[in-house]
Amino acid sequence: MDPDLIVGGGRSTEHLDRCGRLEDHPRTTGDKNHMGTVTSRTAGALLAAAFALGLSACSTGDASTSGGADGQNTIDFEFEGYRAQLPADPDRVVVLDSRTGLEFALLAEWPIAASDFSDEGGPIVDALADDVAHLSGTRTEPDLEEVASHDPDLLVVSESWWNYYQDNDVPLGDIAPVFIVDEPDVGEKWKETFAGNMSVVDKSDEAEELLDQYDATVADLSRELPADGQGVTLAFATGEMTGADVSLGHGPLNVFVARDLGFEVVSSDDLQPSDGFLRSYSSENLDVFADADFLFVVNLDDDPVFESQAWHRLPAVEANRVADIPTMYNAGMVLTAESLAQHMADAVSAAY
């Protein structure tokens, strides 16, 4: 029996929760006035060159601005029962996850003292300045003493990792107030939720500009695709390396970027909300991929399922229209999405 296949952009060693989000470095010190972050010029160049998108929410955060006890402006922040006064202009930010959390901290232009670097090599971590300290703990087991040693006045974490820390009694709030980045329960709302996150920190205008840039970039890429992407059908697959089912679904990010590019995407008509982004079928049903003109695959070179005869009989595989898609694209915001759009456009254009 073949190992699991997932259509919709999962990955082999991590599990998507109902919001389609994923599971997991030598420390340095930094001058408070020289924290590593993307400067306005660097951020502008980065955005113009490669990336742009955002997330939408499984839950909502509320905030208002007020004066703190020391006279500095603060944000009265609330997120699913968590309440804190956040600095409106933080001095030292520590980021606990290097996907959604880090991307938002960069977009907010906060001075980042230290960060998780688990997704090093991707478009988000590579945008950090050289002086940002690497957190040596893992995302699943953060070293709280190390986090505190950076003297943060703000911590940043994605909703999914915040929930993980809450479930495991990790007391992040004892170190510093925490900004929790809202994430989407349905992918169609990613732009709305991204804008909502930005509005909490009074950056609605910047969010609108970033989304406009994403739309413009996608339109440019679409015009360069064969037939403007029309008539090309994609599917997203992952070998789970356990079990014997085939899962079909709507990826948390890749499906909606693909549709923005003008592609059709193979999906399950009977996918239910309780299934999250995936729907399981028996391993004999690899024909669910048969309508795809092009396949994007996580762990393409690592999973034996992609050596099976059933896989190689698929039309897209026979036509050599298959490309790898890194797991870093399973979650993110505007920077990740624009990079993902470029990745997909390049791969499809090279095959036609």
Side-chain angles (χ1 to χ4, degrees), residues 7-9 229 231-237 248-251 253-269 288 291-294 296 344:
V7 183
V232 178
T233 299
L234 307 183
F236 297 90
L248 180 83
H250 302 270
L253 183 59
N254 49 37
V255 166
F256 301 99
V257 174
R259 288 173 176 165
D260 285 344
L261 286 166
F263 296 120
E264 298 294 327
V265 181
V266 175
S267 60
S268 173
D269 293 335
V288 298
D291 292 334
D293 302 306
F294 195 101
F296 282 103
M344 288 194 289

Side-chain angles (χ1 to χ4, degrees), residues 109-120:
E109 295 185 302
W110 285 333
I112 301 171
S115 177
D116 168 55
F117 269 66
S118 298
D119 297 290
E120 194 165 12

Side-chain angles (χ1 to χ4, degrees), residues 99-110 112 124 156 179-181 194 196-201 203 333 335:
R99 289 188 184 175
T100 307
L102 179 56
E103 183 168 349
F104 184 79
L106 289 169
L107 292 170
E109 295 185 302
W110 285 333
I112 301 171
I124 307 306
V156 179
F179 184 92
I180 303 146
V181 184
F194 167 61
N197 280 311
M198 294 289 277
S199 71
V200 171
V201 295
K203 291 185 179 289
M333 306 181 91
L335 302 183

Side-chain angles (χ1 to χ4, degrees), residues 108-283:
E109 295 185 302
W110 285 333
I112 301 171
S115 177
D116 168 55
F117 269 66
S118 298
D119 297 290
E120 194 165 12
I124 307 306
V125 173
D126 286 357
L128 284 170
D130 292 338
D131 62 346
V132 174
H134 295 216
L135 294 177
S136 59
T138 65
R139 285 189 289 223
T140 53
E141 296 183 1
D143 184 335
L144 298 187
E145 289 187 3
E146 179 188 16
V147 171
S149 74
H150 292 286
D151 193 24
D153 58 351
L154 182 67
L155 304 180
V156 179
V157 67
S158 67
E159 178 192 352
S160 51
W161 281 105
W162 169 257
N163 290 337
Y164 172 85
Y165 297 137
Q166 291 292 98
D167 291 343
N168 289 277
D169 298 320
V170 179
L172 294 180
D174 290 350
I175 299 173
V178 185
F179 184 92
I180 303 146
V181 184
D182 207 3
E183 293 183 303
D185 52 355
V186 289
E188 293 93 335
K189 295 181 180 178
W190 70 261
K191 295 179 182 179
E192 173 187 323
T193 305
F194 167 61
N197 280 311
M198 294 289 277
S199 71
V200 171
V201 295
D202 196 25
K203 291 185 179 289
S204 293
D205 291 343
E206 290 88 338
E208 184 176 355
E209 291 175 4
L210 289 168
L211 290 172
D212 286 346
Q213 181 174 298
Y214 166 76
D215 290 338
T217 298
V218 167
D220 289 342
L221 291 171
S222 182
R223 282 190 288 269
E224 298 171 4
L225 291 169
D228 294 336
Q230 301 297 320
V232 178
T233 299
L234 307 183
F236 297 90
T238 297
E240 280 293 306
M241 303 181 74
T242 58
D245 289 340
V246 176
S247 296
L248 180 83
H250 302 270
L253 183 59
N254 49 37
V255 166
F256 301 99
V257 174
R259 288 173 176 165
D260 285 344
L261 286 166
F263 296 120
E264 298 294 327
V265 181
V266 175
S267 60
S268 173
D269 293 335
D270 59 351
L271 189 70
Q272 301 298 315
S274 60
D275 298 320
F277 289 96
L278 307 173
R279 179 72 171 176
S280 294
Y281 299 84
S282 67
S283 60

Side-chain angles (χ1 to χ4, degrees), residues 53-55 99-100 103 190 253 328-334 336-337:
L53 165 54
L55 281 154
R99 289 188 184 175
T100 307
E103 183 168 349
W190 70 261
L253 183 59
M328 65 187 179
Y329 289 132
N330 277 353
M333 306 181 91
V334 290
T336 300

